[in-house]
Amino acid sequence: MCGLAGLFLPRHAALAEADIAAMLRVMRHRGPDGTGIHLSDDRRFQAGFTRLAIIDLATGDQPLVRNGGETVLLGNGEVYNYRELRAELAAKGHTFLTQGDMEAALESFMAKGRDFVHDLNGMYALAILERDDHRLTLVLDRLGIKPLYWARLGNGGILFASEIKALFASGLLRPLVDEVSVAAYLAHGYVPAPATLYKGVSKLPPGSIMSVDASGEVQIERYWRAAAATDLPGDEAGIRAHLVSILDDAVGLQLRSDVPVGAMLSGGLDSGLLVALAARRLDRPLKTYTVRFLGARVDETPLAAQVAERYGTDHTVFELETGSAAQLLPRLVWHADEPLADASLLPNHLINEVIGKETRVVLNGTGGDELFGGYGRYFQLPVEARWLRLPRPLRKAAEAMIGLGNPFLAWQLARAEKFGRDRGGYLHDHCALFPPPMAKLLGCTLPWPIPAQAAFADEYAGPLDSAALYAELNTYLPEDLLTLLDRTTMAHSVEGRVPLLDHRMVEAALAVPPHIRNPGGRQKALERAIAAEYLPDSLLSAPKQGFASPVPAWFESGGLAPLARRLLTSRRALERGWWSREGVERLLAQPGRHAFRLYSLLVLELTVRIHVEGAFAEAPAFGLAEMAEGEDAPCAA
């Protein structure tokens, strides 16, 4: 797990110098174990790498350079099946200079060209230069576990980096906000790929390969889209055994490391199952970590302790409190680069801050909900089903009347129809923070964007229930959950690995018939049945939990409301025109109902101040109070 950065100049482009050292410094948290820089003789390729040493501690430095610069590779992440690739390539006469995983990717590319991507199993973002053809190739792993951003400069050059802030640190790109992306953020809670919040800055979508030729022409193709596997057994017992076999192999691959590997252990199915499979493979106790949040309504530590005892893990419980939001939010926003409305950013940041002092690699259960149907929005609400039993003309008349007094309720009732005809839109409507009625309440006049989930659900050739999972695998998973995982782990130089998102597991899970995956609409029923062999009954019957931030409490009694009011109703915030002072006050008047919406606005405001209006080479040490002190009094409407 590392950070990469570079500049590629097509042959016709005017020469330019990127401050590669500054680009690497701003990502130092991603790779504190050393840096490497490669400059081509004609300086049309300038690239650097900051390393977190996980595999091949002695000889795994990058960039990897072949034949005096004929081919150069920089790789962030891990190629888990590198041993198998090395053996296959060595049998064909390839020689290796290191013991690392990225050299296997490089040799595979040299042997097969672009088709090499189909042989890789891992999480990775790769940049490859071919000097003779003067071509740059950028590759992102199938699920988008690792990030890669790029921008075209005015001279035709291509900047790329593992984090957006590194692009701005190059000295060649000025941060500017794209208002279309502001609307997308307010609708989704993230900015869907390939866009970012910033004009001219793009993110490489999951499973994509991008080529830039000598003339500067850019081509981006999806080399992988999640599709249902064709080799799934036909009976439920066979399906269970098949999924366990794939997951067990994925866990084995992801335990490969030259530093100790630990595992997050909550009271849930996903992490418990991973710990069960991982512990059986080791000749020493697996290091596991559980967090108890002081004052939280839910305590997962007793359930986690039962799993730890069953598998004899070396178990550690951390006690943390999440009341430091006002002080930590600027730091979190700096690490995130883009606005992310997911308030679990804070607890995950705190968790990884502690884990970073213990180990460098940790297994994480992200992905289980998307594979096994773990969210309520995947199933029609009972109240919606009852509503749809009414004749449609009667429903529409009732919605119109209700809308006169309660537009949001009318919108909620109207979305029920989407379950059967627009599953992607249905998903979006059930997690949108600012649907049209709320945008109007806020005073936001930006155009409502097309839900990102809709196109993905529509393109999936299979059952609607599986199409919903496919849509989430292409939107919410990479844009929210995996971005959160990358930023909160890498902020503390920790590598987060996600065995459930082995692409073979994803394909197999999509092939499971919905009536076996979620019989009767029961969330994660199949995974629960699989886990019954490995986990205690108390965990199997426990309700779904998670690392939740007490956002309403932050606004109702935690002191965040006055700071948010001062920042969100400041002159410069209102002059952007994204919301009105009255709109913010309407939300603040009901913090229990609107806390998460207020939080999302605050994150957006801080992102603009820190990454666009400010220039911070390091994570800010100041909190919201210091930012608010520098503001004029809130201006009048």
Side-chain angles (χ1 to χ4, degrees):
M1 201 65 64
C2 313
L4 56 87
L7 170 65
F8 175 82
L9 295 170
R11 287 186 174 139
H12 71 272
L15 287 175
E17 292 288 332
D19 191 340
I20 299 296
M23 297 176 79
L24 297 180
R25 280 197 301 271
V26 81
M27 299 190 293
R28 186 64 173 166
H29 47 279
R30 299 188 74 90
D33 297 329
T35 59
I37 291 178
H38 175 82
L39 304 175
S40 63
D41 292 339
D42 60 5
R43 303 189 76 84
R44 290 190 172 274
F45 183 69
Q46 308 162 27
F49 189 79
T50 184
R51 186 185 185 206
L52 179 64
I54 302 295
I55 291 175
D56 188 16
L57 308 185
T59 64
D61 292 338
Q62 295 186 47
L64 293 172
V65 181
R66 281 288 186 271
N67 302 327
E70 179 181 324
T71 310
V72 181
L73 179 142
L74 303 93
N76 166 34
E78 306 289 353
V79 176
Y80 298 126
N81 64 330
Y82 72 101
R83 294 177 185 169
E84 291 78 6
L85 289 175
R86 288 170 65 95
E88 175 189 333
L89 292 163
K92 296 178 180 178
H94 289 256
T95 58
F96 292 87
L97 304 177
T98 76
Q99 297 299 314
D101 60 315
M102 286 300 163
E103 191 179 20
L106 173 57
E107 289 294 323
S108 184
F109 174 79
M110 295 177 69
K112 298 184 178 182
R114 291 162 55 98
D115 287 343
F116 88 117
V117 293
H118 303 296
D119 293 340
L120 306 184
N121 182 315
M123 55 176 186
Y124 45 81
L126 310 175
I128 305 170
L129 173 73
E130 297 170 90
R131 183 186 62 194
D132 292 348
D133 293 331
H134 197 60
R135 179 167 52 221
L136 172 69
T137 300
L138 302 179
V139 183
L140 200 66
D141 66 69
R142 292 173 177 84
L143 275 300
I145 303 168
K146 289 291 98 192
L148 192 56
Y149 302 91
W150 67 279
R152 186 186 288 278
L153 303 178
N155 69 348
I158 300 293
L159 267 178
F160 59 90
S162 297
E163 295 188 3
I164 296 174
K165 67 176 73 70
L167 300 178
F168 300 145
S170 70
L172 299 175
L173 187 67
R174 178 186 172 196
L176 297 170
V177 172
D178 183 347
E179 288 202 343
V180 173
S181 293
V182 172
Y185 167 72
L186 293 176
H188 296 88
Y190 52 81
V191 180
T196 69
L197 182 69
Y198 310 99
K199 288 183 179 179
V201 177
S202 299
K203 65 186 78 163
L204 197 59
S208 293
I209 184 166
M210 169 176 160
S211 295
V212 190
D213 67 16
S215 70
E217 182 181 352
V218 173
Q219 292 185 338
I220 300 176
E221 301 175 13
R222 288 290 293 264
Y223 67 85
W224 183 83
R225 293 179 185 272
T230 58
D231 61 347
L232 195 75
D235 62 297
E236 183 173 350
I239 289 172
R240 292 183 195 174
H242 185 67
L243 291 174
V244 169
S245 175
I246 295 174
L247 183 57
D248 185 51
D249 187 66
V251 168
L253 288 175
Q254 297 193 30
L255 285 172
R256 291 177 173 177
S257 171
D258 292 332
V259 298
V261 178
M264 278 300 305
L265 179 57
S266 68
L269 293 175
D270 304 324
S271 66
L273 191 54
L274 293 182
V275 165
L277 296 176
R280 300 189 314 170
R281 283 181 164 268
L282 298 176
D283 57 3
R284 62 187 183 281
L286 175 68
K287 185 75 175 176
T288 54
Y289 306 96
T290 301
V291 176
R292 176 188 292 117
F293 289 110
L294 299 176
R297 292 181 292 105
V298 175
D299 182 5
E300 297 182 308
T301 55
L303 292 175
Q306 293 178 39
V307 178
E309 182 178 3
R310 173 178 288 198
Y311 292 101
T313 71
D314 181 4
H315 192 55
T316 302
V317 176
F318 303 125
E319 290 193 340
L320 301 173
E321 60 92 15
T322 60
S324 54
Q327 183 60 36
L328 288 179
L329 266 177
R331 173 176 289 270
L332 299 179
V333 164
W334 184 85
H335 277 291
D337 282 353
E338 288 195 89
L340 184 61
D342 192 330
S344 60
L345 194 68
L346 176 62
N348 280 277
H349 176 89
L350 295 173
I351 291 165
N352 285 293
E353 182 177 29
V354 178
I355 288 178
K357 299 171 184 177
E358 296 264 334
T359 190
R360 288 203 163 177
V361 182
V362 63
L363 302 183
N364 182 286
T366 298
D369 290 308
E370 291 73 23
L371 298 186
F372 292 103
Y375 298 126
R377 60 182 177 267
Y378 296 156
F379 313 98
Q380 190 172 49
L381 297 177
V383 66
E384 293 176 335
R386 291 194 295 271
W387 176 250
L388 291 177
R389 294 192 191 110
L390 297 174
R392 192 171 192 274
L394 180 60
R395 293 200 312 271
K396 291 305 170 186
E399 288 166 11
M401 292 183 62
I402 293 170
L404 297 175
N406 192 335
F408 184 65
L409 177 58
W411 176 83
Q412 287 179 306
L413 292 170
R415 73 186 177 188
E417 288 188 3
K418 293 184 179 181
F419 186 79
R421 60 175 175 83
D422 178 12
R423 190 62 63 90
Y426 181 87
L427 288 175
H428 176 78
D429 287 355
H430 274 271
C431 54
L433 285 174
F434 286 97
M438 283 298 164
K440 184 176 181 180
L441 184 73
L442 180 63
C444 177
T445 58
L446 295 172
W448 180 250
I450 297 173
Q453 298 93 331
F456 287 109
D458 289 345
E459 78 179 26
Y460 187 78
L464 277 180
D465 289 352
S466 299
L469 303 186
Y470 176 81
E472 295 270 274
L473 286 166
N474 281 280
T475 55
Y476 176 67
L477 178 72
E479 307 288 5
D480 185 313
L481 298 182
L482 293 176
T483 297
L484 184 150
L485 175 67
D486 177 80
R487 297 306 193 272
T488 58
T489 52
M490 295 311 299
H492 304 291
S493 304
V494 174
E495 177 174 288
R497 296 182 174 181
V498 282
L500 282 162
L501 294 179
D502 183 295
H503 69 278
R504 300 167 300 167
M505 187 71 182
V506 172
E507 292 169 343
L510 281 177
V512 176
H515 72 274
I516 291 179
R517 182 194 303 120
N518 304 107
R522 297 199 303 275
Q523 298 175 28
K524 303 180 88 166
L526 176 61
E527 186 184 13
R528 207 172 300 277
I530 290 171
E533 181 181 343
Y534 302 95
L535 302 177
D537 291 340
S538 54
L539 191 150
L540 297 173
S541 59
K544 179 177 173 60
Q545 300 173 10
F547 299 129
S549 293
V551 180
W554 292 347
F555 282 92
E556 291 177 319
S557 58
L560 211 55
L563 298 175
R565 173 179 284 109
R566 194 167 184 89
L567 290 166
L568 296 177
T569 62
S570 66
R571 186 177 303 277
R572 57 171 154 168
L574 295 180
E575 285 178 349
R576 297 190 193 105
W578 300 339
W579 53 72
S580 68
R581 183 175 185 272
E582 294 88 349
V584 172
E585 291 294 349
R586 291 185 193 108
L587 300 187
L588 285 167
Q590 295 182 283
R593 180 185 181 193
H594 297 302
F596 288 94
R597 296 184 178 95
L598 287 163
Y599 175 87
S600 71
L601 296 180
L602 191 55
V603 166
L604 175 59
E605 178 67 18
L606 295 181
T607 300
V608 174
R609 293 182 181 223
I610 288 172
H611 290 295
V612 179
E613 299 173 351
F616 296 93
E618 297 180 351
F622 53 78
L624 290 186
E626 290 88 339
M627 296 183 75
E629 284 175 3
E631 286 300 327
D632 298 329
C635 67

